[in-house]
């Protein structure tokens, strides 16, 4: 690697070749399309990688499934609805309380986020179908949890294979209960990753929420929806604070800490602000087409992007809001400076590799830049071409890019590049740490957070510091072993 | 300004700051359209009643907070316990992401498992191509000594035939003809993770004893021990091996994950470490007997082992005095080796400790939930200490378990008021704890929601434990393990006593 810690393109290109050489021929060809080095003339293109393609069997993909994208990401956080994991017990069990989408409410009474509700399919359900029981189950749930505002049916693999008609059940129960009952066809075998689950979940909002309700709402001039912030570790709350401080009225938060009412009234807003583009761009495009609501992408990771985003959002409104945005940026300046003064000297020049879902591999890059750190490799589990296009604005030339990385590839990349920090998921955490490389989980914030907004940036900086500068890294080699 | 660089506040304290409390209140009042506080309070109170309990117990379909996982989780766990073994799941890839995360969150270890990533086309045409490609790639990339195949429900619903598919993959040279690829069908709509463990363990033995070569048993003096699905396996397996060494018994643990899920941090990531050697698995056919430490994880496997002429015995998680006594005496009986004085001394120390502390436990009421075998031994151990297992609840317990649990409670006066709840979930348990409360709950991390709702302290003693670290690194099996379990229970008992005391805030207890 070069001395200034900039990514080394030649080194990375050789590394890709070395890694691919280990694969059988056919798999090497398939995987080769997903690995590249970012070049200058990539601007606006896709970083030279293909994406959103089926994973290669047997290579240890890190990806999940459509159910995870719908139940785990989009629908699960909607707090006043009951979400049925429809099918066998496992999917709901493993995803039970595992995304830290915080909410205020009383669990089991008016909020249901941290519950695992399942039809627990048995063999007879596979043979005879599950529709009848689903209908009965919805009645039982409505009886036990009468303060629920609606019910979603999150399909697991068998549902689509045995030909159940959950839409018919949903229609009937919608009529019976007078509440939204939302069927979601997010069977795990659909698509190639979580991503199609996001899309299907978005379509279900369109078809089963927007089309079924006409909420009364007096629209104000500054009404916005905060879209695709899942409130991991409370992320959406500091974000909401910033928007309110600049004079906007957040009429809906999707879907972290969301109620169904906040989803239903979304088409009444003036503007959609979207954080995780990958998981909710579909519904924003729909609202733009059907309700004429424009949408703006923003980024609340790190002070540079926060200021840029606040100005970008303000530019959609009048001068009052624009002046307010400047005041907000000014208000937090002292906090930003004190955070940088404390942490930047400890983190400057450190190299970071990322591998996360569909947004963070680019969105957090400038937060690291703010701390003087450099992204030397990044990649997504389930990004599409338009995500890689957006990535080119965030990363330096020579950065190693890996799409749908396999366990083998990631381990080799880390071993050879030896970054100062890896940010990825729980499945990657322990192997990386055993290699002596500091790690932070960047899906769950490693049980910390929030990381969004100015309040979150202080926590982000603290966490990266404690990962990298922990004294334990110096104890890996027993002293009696020669260095 | 709630945040500062000097004292960075994260989610634990940040959201208690006035700025955030105001934000929450305003959001609730203006935008959320939640039920009134009165309605919420009334419903919360209602859920504590006998009437709600009856409604809750009358549901037939809805399953709410079940304490069980699905078959392939148990299968990959069983597969992981062999030398150089790579668990491989035929079906949807999302399941594998879940299994890996689930085990990693408990063990704080890397959990390598591959999927063959079947998608819509495979749902239509079957997953043969996936297995042919998947085995070749896994073999080449990860250099395993064995690949162990189980299935997700997707592959089961479409009816893929593993035996035929693996044979075809070998013909197509995905892996060498003689490369071990045991398999088991593990539909998640049958049984639970304990069933999957059993199916996969049987599949592995069946591969080595019948499929790889038709072995004929030559009974020797060794014994086999099958630990079962156990979150404390890292320390428990080591404790069992220590006992066998002390007794001079030659034993093979089949599926020993103790080193697999406990690798050191020294700069090298060991994808494979430890595990039962494949030669030991082959040779296990020649054992004199096979002992299952968890009956409900091993029934099909033991039936199969019996067809090879071996004696078998099964236990229900050897934790506590009587359970450990019975296990050691059985080993002694099968091998002719005496239980040495050193172990007898350990037993005496455990009895000594319980004698010292029993007054704090006598008559205390406990709710216990977990896997079938854990529930049985936990309840038995509580009764040995004079405590009362008031509710014993097992989501994945069936009729046979229910009868066994009832007989167990009937065997002691301390079980006289105990109730057995087979096939029930943790939302049922919530009603039980409100209507017939206990002093403590024993179970997994999932019990923390019960603790929050009912105020009854939770003692974490079984898989999964996500929110406390490293419990699994200390044994619960045997006399030493029982001592540790005793201390964990006592700590909560004393904490509860201190918390409830004012006048009697005693220095010595």
């Amino acid at each position: 690697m070069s001395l200034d810690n900039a990514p080394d393109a030649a080194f990375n290109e050789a590394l890709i070749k070395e890694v691919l050489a280990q694969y059988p021929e056919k798999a090497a060809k398939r995987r080769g399309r997903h690995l590249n080095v970012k070049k200058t003339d990539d601007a606006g293109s896709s970083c030279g990688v293909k994406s959103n393609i089926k994973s290669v069997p047997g290579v240890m993909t890190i990806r999940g499934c459509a159910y995870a994208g719908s139940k785990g990401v989009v629908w699960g956080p909607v707090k006043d609805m009951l979400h049925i994991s429809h099918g066998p017990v496992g999917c709901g069990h493993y995803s039970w309380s595992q995304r830290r989408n915080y909410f205020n409410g009383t669990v089991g009474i008016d909020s249901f986020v941290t519950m695992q509700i399942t039809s627990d399919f048995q063999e007879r359900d596979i043979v005879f179908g599950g529709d009848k029981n689903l209908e009965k189950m919805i009645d039982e749930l409505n009886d036990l949890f009468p303060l629920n505002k609606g019910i979603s049916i999150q399909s697991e693999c068998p549902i689509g294979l045995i030909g159940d008609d959950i839409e018919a059940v949903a229609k009937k129960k919608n009529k019976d209960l007078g509440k939204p009952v939302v069927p979601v066809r997010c069977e795990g075998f659909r698509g190639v990753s979580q991503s199609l689950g996001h899309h299907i979940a978005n379509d279900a909002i369109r078809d089963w929420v927007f089309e079924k309700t006409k909420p009364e709402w007096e629209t104000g001039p500054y009404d916005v929806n905060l879209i695709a912030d899942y409130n991991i570790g409370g992320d959406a709350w500091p974000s909401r604070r910033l928007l309110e401080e600049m004079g906007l009225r957040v009429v809906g938060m999707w879907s972290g800490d969301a109620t169904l009412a906040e989803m239903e009234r979304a088409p009444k807003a003036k503007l959609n602000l979207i954080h995780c583009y990958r998981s909710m761009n579909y519904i924003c495009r729909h609202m733009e087409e059907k309700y004429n609501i424009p949408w703006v992408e923003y980024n609340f990771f790190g002070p540079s992007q926060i200021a840029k985003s606040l100005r970008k959002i303000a530019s959609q409104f009048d001068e009052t809001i624009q002046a307010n945005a400047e005041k907000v940026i000014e208000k937090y300046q002292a906090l930003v400076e004190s955070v940088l003064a404390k942490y930047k000297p400890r983190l400057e020049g450190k190299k970071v590799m990322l591998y996360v879902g569909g947004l963070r591999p680019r969105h957090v890059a400038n937060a690291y830049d703010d701390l003087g750190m450099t992204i030397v490799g990044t990649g997504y589990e389930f990004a599409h071409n338009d995500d890689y296009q957006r990535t080119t604005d965030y990363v330096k030339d020579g950065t190693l890019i890996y799409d749908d990385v396999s366990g083998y590839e990631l381990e080799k990349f880390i071993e050879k590049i030896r970054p100062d920090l890896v940010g990825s998921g729980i499945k990657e955490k322990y192997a990386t740490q055993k290699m002596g490389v500091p790690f932070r989980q960047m899906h769950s914030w490693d049980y910390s957070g929030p990381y969004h907004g100015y309040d979150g940036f202080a926590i982000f900086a603290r966490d990266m510091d404690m990962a990298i500068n922990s004294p334990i890294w110096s104890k890996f080699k027993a002293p009696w072993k020669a260095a | 300004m709630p945040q500062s660089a000097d004292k960075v506040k994260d989610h634990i304290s940040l959201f208690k700051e006035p700025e955030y409390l105001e934000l929450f209140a305003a959001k609730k009042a203006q935008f959320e359209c939640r039920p009134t506080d009165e309605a919420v309070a009334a419903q919360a109170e209602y859920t504590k009643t006998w009437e709600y309990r009856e409604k809750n117990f009358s549901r037939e379909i809805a399953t709410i907070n079940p304490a069980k996982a699905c078959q392939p989780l148990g299968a990959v766990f069983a597969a992981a316990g062999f030398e150089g073994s790579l668990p491989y799941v035929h079906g949807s890839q999302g399941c594998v992401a879940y299994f890996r995360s689930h085990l990693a969150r408990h063990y704080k270890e890397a959990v390598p498992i591959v999927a063959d990533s079947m998608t819509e086309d495979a749902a239509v045409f079957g997953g043969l191509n996936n297995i042919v490609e998947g085995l070749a790639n896994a073999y080449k990339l990860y250099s395993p000594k064995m690949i162990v195949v189980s299935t997700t429900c997707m592959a089961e619903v479409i009816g893929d035939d593993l035996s035929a598919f693996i044979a075809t993959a070998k013909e197509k040279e995905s892996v060498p003809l003689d490369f071990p690829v045991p398999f088991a069908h593990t539909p998640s709509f049958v049984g639970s993770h304990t069933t999957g463990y059993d199916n996969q363990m049987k599949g592995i033995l069946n591969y080595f004893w019948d499929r790889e070569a038709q072995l004929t048993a030559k009974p020797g003096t060794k014994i086999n021990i099958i630990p079962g699905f156990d979150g404390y396996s890292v320390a428990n397996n080591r404790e069992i091996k220590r006992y066998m060494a002390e007794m001079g018994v030659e034993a093979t643990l089949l599926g020993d994950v103790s080193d697999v899920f406990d690798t050191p941090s020294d700069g090298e990531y060991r994808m494979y470490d430890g595990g039962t050697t494949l030669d030991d698995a082959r040779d296990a056919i020649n054992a004199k007997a096979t002992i299952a430490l968890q009956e409900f994880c091993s029934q099909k496997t033991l039936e199969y082992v019996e067809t090879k002429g071996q004696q078998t015995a099964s236990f229900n998680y050897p934790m506590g005095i009587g359970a450990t006594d019975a296990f050691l005496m059985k080993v002694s009986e099968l091998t002719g080796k005496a239980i040495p004085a050193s172990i007898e001394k350990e037993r005496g120390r455990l009895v000594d400790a319980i004698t010292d502390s029993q007054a704090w436990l006598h008559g205390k009421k406990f709710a216990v939930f977990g896997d079938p075998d854990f529930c049985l031994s936990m309840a038995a151990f509580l009764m040995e200490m004079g405590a009362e297992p008031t509710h014993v609840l097992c989501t994945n317990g069936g009729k046979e378990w229910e009868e066994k649990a009832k007989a167990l409670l009937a065997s002691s006066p301390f079980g006289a008021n105990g109730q057995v709840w087979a096939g029930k979930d943790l939302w049922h348990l919530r009603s039980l704890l409100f209507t017939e409360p206990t002093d403590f709950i024993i179970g997994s991390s999932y019990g923390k929601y019960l603790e929050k709702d009912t105020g009854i302290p939770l003692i974490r003693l079984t898989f999964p434990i996500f929110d406390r670290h490293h419990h699994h690194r200390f044994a619960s099996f045997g006399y030493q393990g029982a001592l540790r379990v005793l201390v964990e229970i006592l700590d909560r008992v004393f904490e509860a006593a201190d918390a409830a005391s004012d006048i009697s805030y005693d220095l010595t207890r």
Side-chain angles (χ1 to χ4, degrees), chain A residues 22-24 26-27 30 54-61 63-65 67-68 79 88-90 93-98 100 102 104-106 108-110 114-118 120-123 126 133 136-137 140-141 143-147 149 157-158 161-162 189-193 217 233-234 237-238 240-241 249-251 253 257 259 261-262 265 331-332 335 338-339 342-343 407-408 411 426-427 430-431 434-435 447-450 455 458-459 462 476-477, chain B residues 1-11 14-15 19-20 23-24 27 30-35 39-40 43-44 47 52 55-56 58-70 73 86 88 92-94 96-102 104-105 108-110 112-121 123 130 133-134 136-138 140-143 153-154 157-158 188-191 262-269 271 426-427 430 446 449 453 464 466:
Chain A
Q22 184 63 28
Y23 278 96
K26 189 177 164 193
R30 285 177 72 179
K54 275 197 288 187
S55 300
V56 178
V59 302
M60 208 180 306
T61 175
R63 284 172 165 176
C65 65
Y67 165 89
K79 62 184 178 182
V89 72
H93 187 77
Y94 309 119
S95 57
W96 181 3
S97 288
Q98 291 299 357
R100 301 175 56 238
Y102 285 176
N104 281 303
T106 310
I109 309 300
D110 70 345
T114 50
M115 295 176 72
Q116 136 70 333
I117 300 171
T118 174
D120 188 13
F121 259 36
Q122 301 300 304
E123 201 148 20
I126 302 290
N133 281 349
K136 193 172 157 88
M137 175 176 182
E140 289 175 354
L141 290 173
D143 197 25
L144 284 170
F145 308 104
L147 300 183
K149 293 295 176 69
C157 285
L161 298 171
I162 62 177
F189 62 81
R190 294 192 198 279
V192 303
S193 67
W217 185 255
W237 291 326
R240 184 186 186 98
R241 251 187 93 209
R249 187 163 81 142
V250 182
V251 300
M253 249 165 74
D257 193 39
T259 60
E262 294 177 62
R265 83 167 67 94
K331 179 185 162 187
Y332 286 96
L335 173 64
S338 61
V339 169
K342 182 171 177 184
Y343 292 108
Y408 161 77
E411 188 193 325
I426 183 80
K427 304 191 290 297
Y430 300 104
K434 282 173 199 290
M435 290 157 74
Y447 322 117
S448 179
D455 287 353
I459 305 164
R462 178 200 69 178
F476 270 46
K477 279 278 169 265
Chain B
M1 183 80 66
Q3 189 61 288
S4 82
D6 288 340
K7 193 174 187 322
V8 175
K9 296 188 193 75
D10 61 21
H11 58 96
L14 183 64
F15 299 132
E19 288 89 342
Y20 282 98
L23 180 151
F24 297 154
K27 178 174 187 281
Q30 297 167 38
F31 303 107
E32 293 192 337
C33 300
R34 270 154 73 182
V40 170
Q43 176 65 17
T47 63
Y52 186 85
K55 190 185 283 214
N56 190 7
S58 71
R59 65 184 146 100
E60 290 170 1
I61 312 296
T63 303
I64 306 164
N65 299 350
K68 67 170 180 181
C70 67
L73 182 78
L86 179 62
Y88 176 114
S92 298
Q93 71 195 13
V96 171
Y98 280 144
F99 309 148
R100 296 181 66 203
S101 306
H102 200 70
R105 285 179 180 125
K108 318 292 180 207
E109 290 287 321
I113 308 171
V114 298
D116 62 17
S117 300
M118 286 168 64
T119 52
E120 272 157 315
D121 52 341
N130 296 70
E133 245 190 275
N137 290 335
K140 186 85 196 306
L141 280 187
Y142 296 109
S143 313
C153 56
M154 178 220 184
V157 171
I158 65 173
S188 53
F189 44 84
V190 175
D262 190 21
T263 64
S265 270
D266 58 3
E268 179 198 350
Y269 165 52
M271 181 169 158
L426 300 188
W427 195 254
R430 187 178 182 276
Y446 293 116
Y449 300 114
D453 284 359
F466 295 137

Side-chain angles (χ1 to χ4, degrees), chain A residues 447-460:
Chain A
Y447 322 117
S448 179
Y451 283 175
H452 289 177
Y454 293 107
D455 287 353
F457 179 64
I459 305 164
F460 175 82

Side-chain angles (χ1 to χ4, degrees), chain B residues 100-354:
Chain B
R100 296 181 66 203
S101 306
H102 200 70
L103 292 168
R105 285 179 180 125
H106 173 82
Y107 283 105
K108 318 292 180 207
E109 290 287 321
V111 181
I113 308 171
V114 298
D116 62 17
S117 300
M118 286 168 64
T119 52
E120 272 157 315
D121 52 341
V124 176
F125 301 111
L128 177 61
N129 289 338
N130 296 70
I131 235 173
V132 170
E133 245 190 275
L135 285 178
N137 290 335
Y139 178 74
K140 186 85 196 306
L141 280 187
Y142 296 109
S143 313
K145 290 187 175 160
M146 164 165 90
I147 296 177
V148 184
V149 183
S150 54
T151 50
T152 76
C153 56
M154 178 220 184
E156 288 301 317
V157 171
I158 65 173
D160 278 2
D161 180 350
L162 286 184
S163 178
F165 282 15
I166 292 166
T168 306
K170 285 190 169 181
E171 276 167 30
K172 296 191 178 220
E173 299 178 346
S174 296
V175 295
L177 270 178
D178 59 353
F179 182 79
V181 188
F183 63 89
H185 289 274
T186 50
S188 53
F189 44 84
V190 175
S192 72
H193 56 289
T194 53
T195 323
Y197 180 97
D198 193 7
N199 283 334
Q200 190 68 82
M201 187 57 74
K202 181 185 165 187
I204 291 167
L205 297 183
N206 176 252
Y207 176 81
F208 287 119
W209 297 356
D210 278 326
R211 288 177 172 262
E212 182 183 62
Q214 193 79 44
L215 300 181
T216 310
K218 301 180 199 80
T221 55
K222 276 191 182 175
I223 58 166
N224 302 320
I225 296 174
I226 301 175
F229 189 99
D230 174 21
Y232 283 63
S233 47
V234 161
N236 278 348
N237 291 0
R238 288 180 188 151
E239 187 66 355
I240 294 293
K241 286 189 281 191
R242 185 178 69 89
Y243 273 149
M244 294 307 105
E246 294 245 335
M247 290 176 74
V249 169
E250 272 193 288
T252 303
L253 258 70
L254 292 169
D256 179 8
V257 297
S258 55
D259 290 348
V260 178
F261 291 145
D262 190 21
T263 64
S265 270
D266 58 3
E268 179 198 350
Y269 165 52
R270 297 158 176 82
M271 181 169 158
Y272 308 107
D273 201 8
T276 311
T277 68
L278 304 191
D279 281 338
D280 279 349
R282 292 180 180 105
D283 186 51
I285 194 174
N286 299 321
K288 187 173 181 192
T290 295
I291 296 176
L293 300 185
Q294 297 195 68
E295 178 187 1
F296 293 96
C297 287
S298 316
Q299 287 169 320
K300 284 184 194 154
T301 304
L302 287 194
E303 269 173 36
Y304 171 69
V305 169
E306 280 162 15
T307 66
K308 302 297 172 192
Q310 285 188 30
Q311 297 179 62
T312 63
S314 49
F315 295 88
N316 303 110
Y317 207 80
M319 181 172 71
I321 308 170
T324 306
D325 293 346
F327 166 69
L328 292 174
M329 287 192 294
K330 189 72 191 180
V331 172
S332 176
E333 176 199 320
L334 287 168
T335 59
K337 306 272 189 182
I339 300 167
S342 57
I343 293 180
E344 200 175 320
K345 216 165 187 178
E346 282 181 25
R347 184 184 189 282
R349 290 181 190 128
L350 169 66
V351 173
D352 181 69
I354 294 174

